[in-house]
Amino acid sequence: VYLLVALVGAIGFEIIQLTHGQSIGGSVEFGGNEKDYVHYMYYSLVCITTVGFGDIFPINMPTKMLSVFLSALGILY
């Protein structure tokens, strides 16, 4: 269940990236290909586990909302 939530969160970050142009920033470089999904998955797992390394951070409001939702869901789970 934990990994499934992380996968859904990563898909959400990718959808936000496609619709708004930016979703996460920091020490990541996006190439516009399928390798970008690794960054979304990593950030999703960091949010769910509430570790918050700080190397990747949300840029716009929908990404911040999804990050908070994933963090709250991770705590409740």
Side-chain angles (χ1 to χ4, degrees):
V1 174
Y2 214 63
L3 185 59
L4 182 63
V5 172
L7 288 170
V8 170
I11 291 171
F13 290 125
E14 187 168 15
I15 290 171
I16 293 170
Q17 175 81 20
L18 293 173
T19 57
H20 291 266
Q22 289 183 335
S23 62
I24 56 176
S27 62
V28 294
E29 294 182 19
F30 294 105
N33 52 21
E34 65 274 354
K35 293 181 183 178
D36 293 343
Y37 193 74
V38 174
H39 300 298
Y40 304 128
M41 188 66 192
Y42 167 73
Y43 183 65
S44 180
L45 282 170
V46 167
C47 286
I48 290 174
T49 58
T50 64
V51 174
F53 291 123
D55 57 343
I56 298 177
F57 49 86
I59 292 181
N60 53 21
M61 189 57 67
T63 309
K64 291 177 183 178
M65 292 171 55
L66 182 57
S67 300
V68 169
F69 175 74
L70 288 174
S71 297
L73 194 64
I75 291 170
L76 293 175
Y77 185 72

